[in-house]
């Protein structure tokens, strides 16, 4: 039963990828809006059409950490590429059909001449990355900042394009659309990247680092309408030159955390949907489209609607890869099913280093659920565990599944909305981090073990869970051919108990 199913998934992914690259499908042609041209067809199962393995920055998937590197790590070295290729093997086998990775060319700053961003070594690595993805049936997506992300050096060199903050002060990251030169820089980057490298899709992102608030930009239109305007212009340019490339936009930072779009803002996004293939309302701190309005909104949207599922771990490049173990298959499956029922057909599913057993399993699991949302999560996880751990017999498989269930429930069942609202002023996060501060130049504090994530009772429950995992692992001795994964989980549980007990000790909480 299992082997034919895997072949089917690969074949389906490859077929959809070929359609993504080549454009055109009955399902896509039936869909209104200019964006339909490059969309893949829905499969025979209830599947997401855009099953995007979202890197997000290439070093987020790095097997060997960069303990002293601030976020986002800028280097594109052989380790970054080798780690990404290892991740691709998991992604392609799991059923993802797109691979979206940032940082191939620049992080904060493209050089003003654009082309000098890529020397011979970098070009060789980018080509290797793209070819490795294509060979596995994964369509590589270019991560492209729209006026923001990637323009710091350009703004420094050419102050005419610099945007403004809401208080009128100079913006460090965003260009201003009132200057015609700003779009010229965007156009040059598009011409260079899509003209010289074989990307099949483009991910547009305009406001993660903020946008221009001058009286001609967000100061006139408001954040949503302004971001719609600059992304529409960019998408139209890409489609005019490369009509078969998939183009999608994410709405990160288009509304404050926990706030939903109003009717006028929804209308603006519906207009954007006529120009792109998918709009991603990922849900970092709640979704911009109120869940109760999702189905009605999707019916109006002329392109696909996407999320990033429910909760997801954003990995930390500075952390030891065997220092945490946080799988969440039950929660992921529930959200993916609910969002699909509400009309979502795209998912930017977060990836991580495959050397962390929790992240590796979540990648393998996520691609499977996106390919068949009605599948039993228990059965999908069992398939993943059988493949990765090669348990000898059903009892060993059952014990493995229990370790994953204890890891998930003993941590995530301690979350509740009230502490998040009280401490961070946001709803329960979609994106959560080991070190909430994100930035830093050494491995940071384990904020995910403190309030608002865990209080005293939460730490106690999670400690019990980790102790259970350490009790269970020896029972699997000799019963798995797991390639060192159980040893990695064991080390993760020990390190996490160290961190947890250090916090409890400092707070005067009892420690067994
Ligand atoms: Zn402006």
């Amino acid at each position: 039963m299992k082997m034919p199913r895997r072949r089917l998934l690969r074949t389906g992914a490859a077929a959809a990828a070929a359609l993504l690259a080549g454009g055109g499908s009955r399902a896509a042609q039936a869909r209104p809006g200019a964006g339909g041209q490059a969309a893949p067809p829905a499969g025979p199962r209830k599947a997401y059409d855009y099953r995007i393995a979202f890197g997000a920055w290439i070093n987020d998937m790095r097997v060997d950490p960069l303990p002293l590197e601030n976020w986002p790590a800028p280097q594109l070295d052989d380790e970054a590429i080798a780690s990404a290729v290892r991740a691709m093997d998991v992604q392609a086998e799991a059923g993802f059909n797109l691979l979206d990775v940032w940082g191939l060319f620049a992080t904060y700053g493209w050089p003003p001449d654009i082309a000098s961003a890529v020397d011979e070594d970098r070009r060789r690595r980018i080509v290797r990355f793209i070819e490795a993805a294509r060979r596995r049936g994964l369509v590589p997506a270019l991560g492209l900042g729209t006026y923001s992300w990637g323009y710091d050096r350009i703004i420094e060199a050419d102050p005419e394009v610099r945007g403004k903050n809401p208080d009128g002060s100079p913006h460090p990251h965003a260009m201003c659309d009132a200057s015609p030169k700003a779009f010229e820089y965007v156009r040059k980057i598009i011409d260079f990247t899509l003209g010289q490298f074989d990307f099949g899709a483009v991910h547009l992102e305009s406001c993660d680092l903020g946008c221009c608030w001058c009286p001609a930009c967000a100061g006139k239109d408001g954040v949503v309408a302004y971001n719609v305007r600059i992304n529409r212009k960019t998408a139209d340019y890409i489609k005019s030159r490369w009509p078969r490339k998939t183009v999608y936009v994410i709405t990160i930072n288009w509304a404050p955390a926990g706030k939903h779009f109003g009717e006028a803002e929804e209308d603006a996004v519906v207009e954007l949907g006529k120009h792109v293939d998918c709009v991603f309302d990922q849900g970092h701190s709640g979704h911009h489209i109120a869940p109760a309005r999702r189905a009605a909104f999707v019916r109006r949207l002329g392109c696909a609607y996407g999320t990033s599922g429910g909760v997801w771990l954003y990995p930390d490049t500075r952390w030891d890869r065997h220092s945490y173990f946080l799988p969440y298959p039950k929660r992921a499956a529930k959200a993916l099913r609910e969002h699909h029922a509400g009309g979502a057909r795209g998912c930017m599913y977060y990836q991580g280093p495959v050397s962390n057993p929790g992240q590796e399993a979540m990648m393998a699991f996520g691609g499977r659920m996106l390919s068949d949302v009605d599948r039993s999560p228990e059965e999908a996880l069992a398939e993943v565990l059988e493949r990765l751990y090669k348990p000898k017999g059903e009892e060993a498989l059952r014990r493995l599944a229990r370790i994953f269930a204890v890891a998930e429930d003993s941590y995530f069942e301690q979350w509740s909305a009230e502490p998040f609202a009280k401490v961070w002023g946001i709803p329960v996060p979609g994106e959560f981090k080991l070190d909430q501060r994100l930035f830093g130049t050494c491995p940071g504090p384990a904020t995910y073990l403190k309030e608002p994530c865990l209080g005293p009772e939460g730490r106690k429950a999670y400690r019990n869970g980790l102790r259970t995992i350490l009790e269970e692992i020896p029972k699997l001795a000799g019963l798995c051919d797991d390639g060192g994964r159980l040893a990695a989980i064991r080390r993760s549980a020990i390190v996490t108990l160290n961190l947890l007990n250090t916090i409890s000790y400092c707070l005067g909480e009892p420690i067994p």
Side-chain angles (χ1 to χ4, degrees):
M1 275 301 286
K2 290 191 177 65
M3 285 313 291
R5 175 180 173 76
R6 284 173 191 151
R7 278 198 293 276
L8 178 70
L9 280 173
R10 274 199 294 274
T11 307
L19 277 158
L20 269 168
S25 73
R26 275 186 312 233
Q29 283 155 12
R31 186 186 295 152
Q37 294 175 54
R45 301 168 189 279
K46 246 193 243 173
Y48 280 75
D49 297 332
Y50 300 91
R51 302 184 297 279
I52 302 176
F54 185 34
W57 293 95
I58 189 162
N59 285 306
D60 294 338
M61 295 186 289
R62 195 179 180 95
V63 167
D64 191 42
L66 293 165
L68 304 180
E69 193 66 71
N70 206 346
W71 180 91
Q75 50 270 73
L76 189 74
D77 54 11
D78 288 339
E79 171 66 19
I81 300 298
S83 297
V85 172
R86 274 183 64 180
M88 288 177 201
D89 286 334
V90 177
Q91 293 152 357
E93 191 273 339
F96 289 99
N97 58 1
L98 283 128
L99 174 58
D100 180 345
V101 167
W102 284 59
L104 293 174
F105 299 92
T107 53
Y108 286 103
W110 281 87
D113 73 307
I114 309 303
S116 69
V118 178
D119 60 15
E120 202 176 307
D121 276 349
R122 199 168 190 105
R123 179 177 295 274
R124 173 177 56 78
R125 291 181 180 121
I126 296 169
V127 168
R128 185 179 162 219
F129 172 88
I130 290 174
E131 288 180 353
R134 290 283 192 190
R135 270 199 305 276
R136 288 162 177 78
L138 296 162
V139 173
L142 168 72
L144 178 69
T146 319
Y147 287 65
S148 177
W149 261 129
Y151 299 93
D152 293 18
R153 289 174 65 188
I154 289 169
I155 289 168
E156 284 296 325
D158 189 352
E160 196 182 315
V161 300
R162 185 188 290 277
K164 287 186 167 61
N165 287 308
D167 65 2
S169 62
H171 202 294
H173 306 301
M175 295 197 296
C176 170
D177 191 40
S179 166
K181 288 172 77 181
F183 188 69
E184 285 305 299
Y185 285 114
V186 175
R187 188 185 58 72
K188 275 184 199 166
I189 293 172
I190 293 169
D191 289 349
F192 176 74
T193 48
L194 298 189
Q196 298 200 17
F197 298 92
D198 185 24
F199 293 100
V202 185
H203 158 181
L204 299 178
E205 179 167 331
S206 55
C207 202
D208 185 32
L209 294 176
C211 65
C212 180
W213 277 85
C214 85
C217 295
K220 182 178 84 172
D221 295 338
V223 172
V224 174
Y226 172 63
N227 280 282
V228 163
R229 187 175 100 197
I230 57 179
N231 282 300
R232 186 181 60 207
K233 178 160 59 173
T234 308
D236 284 350
Y237 178 71
I238 296 167
K239 292 281 187 183
S240 74
R241 284 208 60 192
W242 294 276
R244 291 182 171 179
K245 298 226 188 283
T246 299
V247 178
Y248 52 93
V249 174
I250 73 167
T251 61
I252 187 170
N253 216 15
W254 290 19
K259 299 286 187 231
H260 303 306
F261 289 162
E263 278 184 36
E265 292 167 325
E266 286 187 6
D267 289 346
V269 178
V270 167
E271 166 59 26
L272 177 62
K274 296 172 185 167
H275 301 258
V276 299
D277 298 287
C278 191
V279 172
F280 281 91
D281 171 19
Q282 289 179 271
H284 292 78
S285 303
H287 293 94
H288 292 148
I289 304 300
R293 294 174 63 88
R294 183 178 290 147
F297 174 80
V298 168
R299 282 195 293 274
R300 295 172 59 212
L301 190 63
C303 71
Y305 170 84
T307 72
S308 280
V311 67
W312 68 87
L313 172 65
Y314 185 77
D316 192 314
T317 308
R318 295 184 291 275
W319 279 46
D320 187 286
R321 273 44 196 117
H322 298 166
S323 61
Y324 61 97
F325 179 57
L326 289 161
Y328 41 91
K330 282 188 272 190
R331 281 151 183 82
K334 180 172 183 288
L336 293 177
R337 192 174 292 174
E338 285 174 2
H339 294 185
H340 190 276
R345 292 297 178 268
C347 183
M348 293 172 65
Y349 189 93
Y350 277 74
Q351 308 293 301
V354 293
S355 47
N356 178 279
Q359 301 225 251
E360 176 192 42
M362 285 307 297
M363 292 155 69
F365 175 82
R368 283 168 168 79
M369 293 308 300
L370 289 169
S371 304
D372 183 0
V373 294
D374 284 337
R375 193 173 179 189
S376 149
E378 294 79 13
E379 188 258 332
L381 181 64
E383 183 180 293
V384 167
L385 297 178
E386 278 193 313
R387 180 179 175 78
L388 298 176
Y389 292 77
K390 300 183 179 59
K392 294 168 186 163
E394 285 191 9
E395 176 62 13
L397 177 60
R398 193 187 61 75
R399 285 190 182 279
L400 274 172
R402 177 157 189 258
I403 287 172
F404 276 73
V406 168
E408 174 173 8
D409 292 342
S410 65
Y411 180 75
F412 289 100
E413 279 188 3
Q414 317 314 320
W415 280 19
S416 63
E418 196 182 327
F420 284 106
K422 192 173 158 191
V423 180
W424 287 347
I426 64 160
V428 171
E431 175 180 87
F432 89 99
K433 308 179 188 80
L434 302 165
D435 174 1
Q436 182 61 22
R437 306 165 318 137
L438 186 60
F439 300 98
T441 53
C442 61
T447 62
Y448 79 106
L449 301 175
K450 277 206 78 209
E451 292 79 355
C453 301
L454 300 183
E457 289 305 310
R459 278 188 286 277
K460 186 177 169 188
Y462 189 36
R463 179 183 296 115
N464 288 338
L466 293 165
R467 286 166 62 100
T468 300
I469 290 169
L470 289 177
E471 287 161 3
E472 286 295 312
I473 287 174
K475 297 174 186 167
L476 283 163
L479 295 178
C480 296
D481 181 10
D482 62 282
R485 290 175 175 84
L486 283 167
I489 293 173
R490 181 172 178 270
R491 181 171 155 191
S492 301
I494 293 170
V495 174
T496 307
L497 279 168
N498 277 148
L499 295 168
L500 197 59
N501 289 335
T502 302
I503 292 169
S504 288
Y505 180 77
C506 292
L507 294 172
E509 294 168 3
I511 303 167

